[in-house]
Structures are given as structure tokens and as C-alpha cells.
Amino acid sequence: MDRDNVADLIAFIAVAQDRNFTRAAARLGVSQSALSHAMSRLEKRLGVRLLTRSTRSVSPTDAGQRLLETVEPRFLEVDAALEMVTEFRDKPSGTIRLSAGEHAINAVLWPRLQGFIETYPDIKLELIAENGLVDIVAQRYDAGVRLGEQLAKDMIAVRIGPDWRMAVVAAPAYLEGRKPLASPQDLTEHVCINLRLQTYGGHYPWEFERDGQRLNVRVEGQLTFSSSTHILSAALARAGLGCIPEDVIAPYLKTGQLVRVLEKWMPTFDGYHLYYPSRRQTSAAFTRLIEALRYRPA
């Protein structure tokens, strides 16, 4: 296979994955015009249309999808082989892309990665904050972070954090004169600050459990955020009740800026796990990352 064929196939895979010429061109570091010419050359050479183009999107034709399913795994194997060769260098190197939620990054990943990046300066890390569930294979991540209960069976998982709980909190001034909360059902008479997660198709339902009874409550309120950091700020500003990881609100409970309610109803979640495809060939850099993140109870 000559160099032009390889370059054009790489261009095709990028466009087919991103379904967008602009994003694919940015990822490859080329102009949209060059990318379009590469696709035209490949289609002309093969004598078949590979992409269906519209003003808003790009999608593979049946022939294009067949080609993508055939050649993409081959290029992934080449990438993995090249990555493995770096193990023969004096120091591990390469780029590792991780998908994780905001809380996982702040509570688990970043505290341990500070020392990691100092020890391995040739390893580059990309941490993409995404609070919904992500297909790490389709999105070309090396690994992702999820709670243990959310892991797919075909993934290898390594525990990287302890069990934890959420907490329902509010500023004392908000609670003054309002109905006390004895059970989750009482939330219907309160203003709540919502969290929007794409995975749930809308607002995250607050999860409760007591004496074996599980209950999900879809709360109502004026405000919705996609970040628990912003929910915390709104709760501190007396805008309503927020459901936030308990390690995040702990300092504010000590100072009295926030008050916790419904504590006996809060379930415990299985801790965060780093997960990656079982077929992934681990490089020296990735192996060292796993060991740096692996949870070791005191």
C-alpha cells in the first residue's frame, strides 16, 4: 500500500468517526479543503461513494461503513504496536486519553496524578470531563472512569477509589420557615437544584435507600446545571436544595454554611473504577498509570 492510500484511509476514518469535516480536520491537523480532496481521491480511486454529505452532517454509506469496520481495527492494531515499541525507551512515553466525571477527576484522579506527571514527564495525559456514560471505544479513549455498578462486562476494571455517598444539603437560611424533610417524598414541597446528565435523558433522579427500600425522586426547581460545582455555589447562595458528593460539602458542613438533610436515606455507591477494553494491549505508560491510580485501602 502506497503512502497516499494510507493517508487517505486515515482521513476517511477520521471523518467517518467524527461525522464532521471540521472536527476531523482539527484532529488531524489539516485544512478542511485538504481533507475533502483526500476523500475525493479515495472515492475516485475505489470507484464508489464512501460518504453521504449534507449541509449539517456526514455519514458513511453502506460501502463506507463496511470499509470503516474493516480498516479501523487494523489501524488501531498498528497504533498499539507503535505504542508498545516505546517501552524500549529509557522512559515510558505517549499520550493517554481518559474520560471521567467531574467528581472523579477532582476527588480521585488529580490528587494522584500530580505526583505521576512529575515522575513521568514524557507521558501526556488528556482528562476529558464528561458526567454521562461514554462509549470509550467509539470515542477513541484509552480508558474511562465509572462507578463499579456501571461497568460493562467486556471491560477490564481496576478499582481506584473508596465507596462514597451523595448528600442533600441547603443553606440554613433556605431551610428557615420551610417544612422539615423527614423522607424523600417531602422534596416535592421544596425547591431543588437539578443536575442534567445526558445519560439519563434529562435530569438526574436523586437516589435514596433505607431498610432495603430504594427510591428515585425526580425533583423540581428553577435551576439546572451540568456540574456539581455550580450546584454547590447555588446551594450556598440559598437557591435551594442540592444533591452533591459528601466529600465535596464536608468543609461547608463544618463551617455551618450548609446543613445536611435526609442523611439516613443516602445509599453507598461502589467506588470509582478505571476501565478499558479487554482487547487493549497495555503499554508501559498505561501500566504505570494503572499502578499509580490503583486503590489501596489504608
Side-chain angles (χ1 to χ4, degrees):
M1 182 182 296
D2 61 37
R3 184 179 302 174
D4 288 341
N5 277 329
V6 172
D8 291 349
L9 282 172
I10 291 173
F12 164 70
I13 291 172
V15 175
Q17 288 174 337
D18 292 335
R19 305 203 169 202
N20 183 284
F21 272 89
T22 302
R23 289 195 295 269
R27 176 148 66 94
L28 295 176
V30 300
S31 67
Q32 292 184 51
S33 176
L35 197 58
S36 180
H37 286 142
M39 287 309 312
S40 296
R41 282 197 308 268
L42 183 61
E43 289 178 328
K44 184 177 181 180
R45 188 180 304 123
L46 297 176
V48 63
R49 182 173 292 280
L50 299 174
L51 298 172
T52 299
R53 302 168 176 83
S54 70
T55 55
R56 295 186 177 181
S57 65
V58 179
S59 60
T61 62
D62 289 343
Q65 186 63 35
R66 177 71 64 85
L67 179 62
L68 179 66
E69 293 172 355
T70 302
V71 301
E72 184 182 21
R74 307 297 189 271
F75 278 93
L76 291 175
E77 289 175 2
V78 172
D79 286 341
L82 292 174
E83 190 174 350
M84 290 180 65
V85 171
T86 64
E87 296 183 22
F88 292 94
R89 296 178 50 166
D90 293 336
K91 296 181 180 179
S93 64
T95 299
I96 300 174
R97 300 183 71 238
L98 301 178
S99 170
E102 176 190 40
H103 179 247
I105 292 176
N106 291 335
V108 178
L109 295 180
W110 179 235
R112 298 184 196 171
L113 291 178
Q114 293 181 54
F116 180 83
I117 60 177
E118 293 178 0
T119 303
Y120 301 106
D122 293 331
I123 298 177
K124 296 181 180 179
L125 300 175
E126 293 184 16
L127 278 66
I128 312 301
E130 297 172 302
N131 287 327
L133 300 181
V134 175
D135 184 339
I136 61 171
V137 176
Q139 298 298 321
R140 297 178 65 81
Y141 287 108
D142 294 290
V145 175
R146 289 184 187 172
L147 298 176
E149 61 192 33
Q150 298 174 333
L151 295 170
K153 294 181 179 179
D154 61 343
M155 294 287 173
I156 296 176
V158 178
R159 189 182 183 98
I160 62 173
D163 292 346
W164 59 280
R165 299 197 304 166
M166 298 289 283
V168 178
V169 295
Y174 165 82
L175 294 172
E176 288 180 5
R178 296 180 183 269
K179 179 181 178 179
L181 288 106
S183 72
Q185 287 86 348
D186 294 329
L187 290 169
T188 58
E189 300 185 38
H190 282 263
V191 178
C192 299
I193 306 164
N194 262 304
L195 173 66
R196 179 173 291 279
L197 293 180
Q198 183 178 358
T199 304
Y200 290 86
H203 294 163
Y204 163 69
W206 291 11
E207 300 175 71
F208 300 95
E209 180 180 1
R210 188 174 184 182
D211 299 328
Q213 177 187 1
R214 288 181 174 271
L215 181 65
N216 287 354
V217 178
R218 292 192 178 275
V219 298
E220 298 292 337
Q222 290 178 284
L223 293 173
T224 298
F225 295 102
S226 61
S227 163
S228 59
T229 300
H230 297 134
I231 293 176
L232 172 61
S233 297
L236 289 168
R238 300 173 290 179
L241 291 159
C243 191
I244 305 168
E246 64 180 5
D247 60 293
V248 175
I249 55 91
Y252 303 95
L253 297 180
K254 290 181 179 179
T255 61
Q257 292 173 273
L258 292 175
V259 175
R260 187 169 186 173
V261 297
L262 301 176
E263 183 173 0
K264 294 181 179 180
W265 281 88
M266 303 311 294
T268 298
F269 295 107
D270 198 4
Y272 287 120
H273 288 66
L274 183 80
Y275 70 98
Y276 54 95
S278 57
R279 65 178 180 272
R280 188 190 195 283
Q281 296 179 342
T282 56
S283 65
F286 192 72
T287 298
R288 282 164 175 73
L289 177 68
I290 291 174
E291 289 310 308
L293 295 176
R294 188 185 300 275
Y295 178 59
R296 297 176 175 84

